[in-house]
Amino acid sequence: MPATTYAVSGMSCGHCKATLTKAIGELDGVSGVEVDLDTGHVTVTTAAEPDDALIAETVDEAGYELTGRV
């Protein structure tokens, strides 16, 4: 299962972590989400190659900004 790490700006607290974990985790094909507030990275584990545009849209709708893959 591939794991892809993204840089996300605007995260600062446990609520941010919980919000993104839930929102991204609900996407089809996502089996795991790890949010690291210290680095601003979100690692997404998927069954196949992730849909970067869909993940970016989900992050944006949650109130944060995906700035790219790490």
Side-chain angles (χ1 to χ4, degrees):
M1 294 184 126
T4 306
T5 302
Y6 299 95
V8 177
S9 62
M11 302 183 303
S12 61
C13 65
H15 180 264
C16 301
K17 182 175 180 173
T19 299
L20 282 176
T21 300
K22 182 177 187 305
I24 297 170
E26 290 176 345
L27 296 175
D28 286 340
V30 173
S31 59
V33 179
E34 292 181 31
V35 177
D36 186 332
L37 295 174
D38 293 333
T39 62
H41 293 167
V42 176
T43 301
V44 180
T45 304
T46 54
E49 187 67 21
D51 182 342
D52 290 345
L54 179 58
I55 292 173
E57 180 181 329
T58 301
V59 169
D60 185 58
E61 287 175 359
Y64 308 96
E65 181 183 1
L66 189 150
T67 57
R69 284 190 182 203
V70 176

